[in-house]
Amino acid sequence: MLAVYPLRGLIVGPLPLLATVVADRLTGNQLDTPEPLERGTRPHTLVEASPAAAASVAVLLRVALALAPVAAAAGLGPCAALRCSWSLGWTRSGFARVLALALPLAGLTAGAVRLVTELALPLRPLVRAHLELGTGNFFAAYYAGILAPVLVGVLVAAAVTLPLAFTAFAALHDHLRSPRTPPRCAGNTARRTAPRWVGVRSSRGGPGR
């Protein structure tokens, strides 16, 4: 199941990163060289808007592959779990249900991170003072103090919201599979049954059909 997360990241992540790098190279504010594309032209506008379009496509892919960890926990391999999530989520009803579940969970996670980070702000001077006293490096202690409440907020929010999110997506996965299970989502639950021979002999002494 752990292999699903980096594999899904390799599918979702490269497109917006590549679009951002290309757009920055072609339309970014270059102080030493002129812009390759003239500002105000249609190619400039299209390239400048390409990161937003790529991010939208990445969000759609991410929603369609949201059920992959649950499918992997059910016994599928990483690639099979991604295919199962795609077959269940890339439909009109499945995508709408996954999106309706993912949006509140994302809002809950963001709110938990913000709340815990605000509550952990008193750690900032403590971490900075102890690291500066122990290492003598002011800059490292300063940035560690800034990052400490954020790190605490992310870890606490993950500990609170991840079990809830996984349980909710597991219930949705079972609900989407319940009407008819696609062959790619069957996993290892299919049992092979041996053929039954009818114990009736024909007139030649062989097994009857």
Side-chain angles (χ1 to χ4, degrees):
M1 186 179 68
L2 295 178
V4 172
Y5 291 97
L7 186 59
R8 185 175 60 182
L10 290 176
I11 296 174
V12 176
L15 180 60
L17 293 178
L18 180 62
T20 302
V21 172
V22 172
D24 183 71
R25 291 291 181 87
L26 297 179
T27 64
N29 295 324
Q30 308 295 333
L31 299 178
D32 53 347
T33 57
E35 293 184 0
L37 297 177
E38 184 180 355
R39 185 178 297 275
T41 60
R42 180 172 295 179
H44 184 281
T45 304
L46 292 176
V47 173
E48 192 175 24
S50 61
S56 301
V57 174
V59 169
L60 294 179
L61 291 175
R62 178 62 178 81
V63 172
L65 299 177
L67 299 175
V70 179
L76 295 179
C79 295
L82 291 172
R83 289 194 300 267
C84 176
S85 178
W86 181 270
S87 65
L88 293 176
W90 200 248
T91 59
R92 182 176 301 178
S93 60
F95 187 85
R97 292 177 181 178
V98 173
L99 186 62
L101 181 60
L103 288 179
L105 290 174
L108 177 63
T109 303
V113 171
R114 180 63 184 273
L115 177 61
V116 178
T117 302
E118 292 292 330
L119 294 177
L121 285 179
L123 291 175
R124 183 171 293 176
L126 296 176
V127 172
R128 183 170 63 235
H130 281 81
L131 284 181
E132 186 177 0
L133 182 62
T135 62
N137 191 332
F138 170 77
F139 293 100
Y142 175 77
Y143 288 109
I146 292 177
L147 294 177
V150 179
L151 181 61
V152 172
V154 171
L155 292 178
V156 173
V160 172
T161 59
L162 278 181
L164 177 63
F166 196 88
T167 303
F169 279 116
L172 179 61
H173 177 260
D174 293 339
H175 178 72
L176 292 176
R177 286 183 55 188
S178 57
R180 55 183 184 87
T181 303
R184 288 178 294 181
C185 297
N188 299 327
T189 59
R191 295 180 300 177
R192 296 181 179 180
T193 57
R196 297 178 181 177
W197 294 99
V198 180
V200 178
R201 292 186 174 273
S202 61
S203 58
R204 297 181 180 180
R209 294 184 180 179

